[in-house]
Amino acid sequence: MERPPVIHKTAQDLRIAPNLLDYDAECRTFSWDEARKALQGLPGGGLNIGFEAVDRHAAGPGRDQVALRFVSRDKPAQDMSYAELARQTNRFANVLHKLGVGKGDRLYVMAGRIPELYVAVLGALKNGTVVTPMFSAFGPEPIATRINIGEGMVLVTTDALYRRKVKQLRDKMPSLHHVLLVAEDSGVTDEPDTLDLGNLMAEASDSFSTVATSPDDPALLHFTSGTTGTPKGAIHVHGAVVTHHATGRYALDLHPDDRYWCTADPGWVTGTSYGIIAPLLHGVTSLIDREEFDATRWYTLLQQEKISVWYTAPTAIRMLMKSGAELASQHARPDLRFIASVGEPLNPEAVWWGKEVLGLPIHDNWWQTETGGIMIANTPAFDIKPGSMGRPLPGIEACIVEHLEAEGEPARVRVIHEPDVEGELALKSGWPSMFRGYLNNEARYRKCFVDELYLTGDLAKQDADGYYWFVGRADDVIKSAGHLIGPFEVESVLIEHPAVIEAGVIGKPDPVVGEVVKAFVSLRDGYQPDEELRLSIMAHARKRLGAAVAPKEIAFLPSLPRTRSGKIMRRLLKARELGLPEGDTSTLESGA
Ligand code: ATP
Ligand code: MG
């Protein structure tokens, strides 16, 4: 279907006045020092994420507002107010303190979306303890590797996860002094060499003075998704809270009465920055659903829980698309006013599907584990150009650069000022949530910076209106007969075909043209993977992309390999195609 290149917003689209209305003016007047003034700060000038997220509200008029609302299939919903969250996090901070766990020590959390996880993360932050979230679906090896490289001192997990995944390697984790277990069902855990968190919490005082942390003190250690290789540990500081707040305001448009739902797994940076911290900073109510993806359940939650702002990911949107428009139409969403997505490129088809089927376009935004917060976004007041990640938020200066020498040391780059030219996306360093190091890899960290610019490793272009367009990861770009082909462009065209729900594109070495484009596609229900369909998809791609860019080969897969944060792992498609070692697969979704 032919669609216009721009979705223009009308006053009707903006159900309430957006926080970011005059983009140019806001960019001109914005300063991070001013942005910090929206937060309270600790007495004596410090800054602490946990304090700003919880205690600031618990001591004010928002104390009885629901901070976190936990829902699951088999238990009644559980609401935790800001005041209660303050008491619980104080208890947890006291538990740590009593165990001798202090500022700068490292705590790992690994659990589903249970209240104890949120309490542990925020309580540890208040104690100055550095937090690392892990996916609860990780196997024993990835868990032990991460705890060892980060010298984790404390692990908070459930008794069931401990028995299945940690116990057998416990003696291989010499830094791990304390394991605090949540008894999943009622009762007390009795595993040797562990402590029962419920007991410790019951004995602890519920008053605590947040440890004096400065904006430069480490707060979080996040591992990257492992899409392009072995996950890297990115170190973040308490000062990041200023970005979390500003981006919650601009990119998620949080208003005090919002009911917000972030679907990201708490093991991924999005699950922390925007699944825990940003909504609390804005004093809103966050829905936390313990269950995994289920289209009917999700539509029901959006409706029943009166969600107004929803932050999700392309992979989830594609799964909703797969479940069909009919299901979507069986549920009303009168409260929903803003949908945003992050994690990988959002195909134009998905943006339009949002508009046509959900009644709201989906607003793509871009960031990385390393940036700590949203950098480039489509905000409610922006017109959307489907396929574009939007524009840099106030306080963020982005540009496109070209490398002057491929292998030069130190690297030299030139900023490309002309529009529509592809190059590496770079950000002027200095925003508060910028990572401060890769764990145990100073050389790699330094390589990311050239002349005050942070090089993201992503290729993109900027158009004349200042919108950024994702082309592909530098590692994924295909070089074919003198053309540079971004997989995203090809994948977006493939999923326009009515049979294709998901596509991953790689370059396959070829003696004549360098690389040929090969596509892997998975199909919507009701389509047969046969020759006729292959030719039909091929013809569609050739018509839209031309013969030089369209895939030469198309293979059908029941589903594409994905990281646990939902990203298509093109490097794995390629390794499998070429019969090469698969490399680090610790973040691979099981069964993929
Ligand atoms: P690794 O660095 O270990 O390979 P990763 O880069 O996937 O993993 P994350 O930090 O979780 O780990 O993901 C950030 C990356 O995800 C970005 O660099 C970009 O490639 C991709 N990404 C995120 N959001 C978007 C978006 N809106 N559009 C396109 N790509 C995106
Ligand atoms: Mg990365």
Side-chain angles (χ1 to χ4, degrees), residues 224-228 232 368-370 438 456 458 473:
T224 61
S225 288
T227 315
T228 56
K232 304 164 286 264
Q368 306 178 307
T369 308
E370 289 86 342
Y438 282 129
T456 66
D458 284 345
R473 288 157 185 275

Side-chain angles (χ1 to χ4, degrees), residues 419-433:
D420 302 320
V421 179
E422 287 173 14
E424 184 166 357
L425 175 62
L427 304 169
K428 174 133 185 278
S429 50
W431 70 95
S433 66

Side-chain angles (χ1 to χ4, degrees), residues 65-69 79-82 85 280 284-287:
Q65 163 101 337
V66 175
L68 303 172
R69 175 169 170 80
D79 287 336
M80 204 186 283
S81 68
Y82 279 89
L85 188 58
L280 295 178
V284 306
T285 297
S286 245
L287 178 74

Side-chain angles (χ1 to χ4, degrees), residues 438-569:
Y438 282 129
L439 192 65
N440 305 335
N441 203 340
E442 179 61 23
R444 175 127 197 203
Y445 179 68
R446 260 185 284 123
K447 257 184 95 172
C448 297
F449 296 90
V450 177
D451 304 337
E452 306 240 303
L453 289 177
Y454 163 63
L455 305 178
T456 66
D458 284 345
L459 298 185
K461 58 190 178 185
Q462 185 192 10
D463 70 17
D465 299 325
Y467 281 69
Y468 280 79
W469 298 75
F470 183 79
V471 172
R473 288 157 185 275
D475 298 1
D476 289 338
V477 166
I478 301 162
K479 297 172 196 79
S480 185
H483 297 271
L484 274 185
I485 300 171
F488 175 50
E489 182 187 11
V490 182
E491 290 161 8
S492 291
V493 163
L494 289 168
I495 75 163
E496 287 170 4
H497 190 284
V500 178
I501 193 69
E502 196 161 49
V505 164
I506 63 160
K508 191 175 159 185
D510 178 272
V512 181
V513 292
E515 288 182 305
V516 291
V517 178
K518 170 149 189 176
F520 297 84
V521 300
S522 66
L523 300 179
R524 277 177 201 272
D525 294 343
Y527 286 90
Q528 287 309 316
D530 56 24
E531 197 50 32
E532 191 185 339
L533 183 58
R534 190 195 315 275
L535 292 175
S536 151
I537 298 171
M538 202 90 100
H540 165 76
R542 277 177 177 242
K543 190 167 135 227
R544 295 276 286 109
L545 295 165
V549 177
K552 298 276 179 301
E553 292 178 36
I554 294 179
F556 297 110
L557 287 180
S559 67
L560 301 182
R562 255 196 292 266
T563 66
R564 297 199 181 283
S565 48
K567 296 157 194 273
I568 297 171
M569 285 172 106

Side-chain angles (χ1 to χ4, degrees), residues 32 47 49 215-217 219-220 222 234-248 269 273-274 277 281 366-375 393 395-396 427-437 445 449 454:
W32 287 111
L47 197 57
I49 298 175
D216 293 319
D217 280 330
L220 295 152
H222 278 295
I235 299 159
H236 287 282
V237 294
H238 279 278
V241 69
V242 182
T243 304
H244 297 146
H245 184 269
T247 53
V269 65
S273 292
Y274 297 99
I277 299 167
L281 291 173
W366 176 96
W367 58 291
Q368 306 178 307
T369 308
E370 289 86 342
T371 70
I374 302 169
M375 300 282 109
L393 290 175
I396 303 302
L427 304 169
K428 174 133 185 278
S429 50
W431 70 95
S433 66
M434 190 177 85
F435 72 135
R436 303 301 162 93
Y445 179 68
F449 296 90
Y454 163 63

Side-chain angles (χ1 to χ4, degrees), residues 8-125:
H8 291 288
K9 299 280 181 60
T10 63
Q12 215 187 353
D13 291 314
L14 302 176
R15 299 206 199 143
I16 59 174
N19 290 329
L20 179 55
L21 193 55
D22 186 340
Y23 175 69
D24 294 329
E26 198 90 6
C27 287
R28 262 198 316 277
T29 54
F30 182 91
S31 86
W32 287 111
D33 285 342
E34 277 303 310
R36 184 172 164 180
K37 292 187 185 151
L39 300 168
Q40 189 175 332
L42 294 174
L47 197 57
N48 182 284
I49 298 175
F51 177 86
E52 298 298 336
V54 183
D55 297 31
R56 190 164 53 99
H57 305 293
R63 65 176 67 88
D64 296 323
Q65 163 101 337
V66 175
L68 303 172
R69 175 169 170 80
F70 297 92
V71 294
S72 64
R73 263 188 226 285
D74 51 0
K75 291 202 180 98
Q78 185 187 343
D79 287 336
M80 204 186 283
S81 68
Y82 279 89
E84 179 60 15
L85 188 58
R87 286 191 290 271
Q88 295 279 345
T89 50
N90 284 348
R91 281 182 193 274
F92 186 79
N94 281 317
V95 166
L96 291 182
H97 187 71
K98 202 164 163 197
L99 291 172
V101 179
K103 191 170 164 179
D105 291 331
R106 297 216 177 102
L107 171 135
Y108 282 61
V109 286
M110 181 181 64
R113 296 179 185 87
I114 55 175
E116 290 85 348
L117 179 139
Y118 296 79
V119 167
V121 169
L122 294 159
L125 290 169

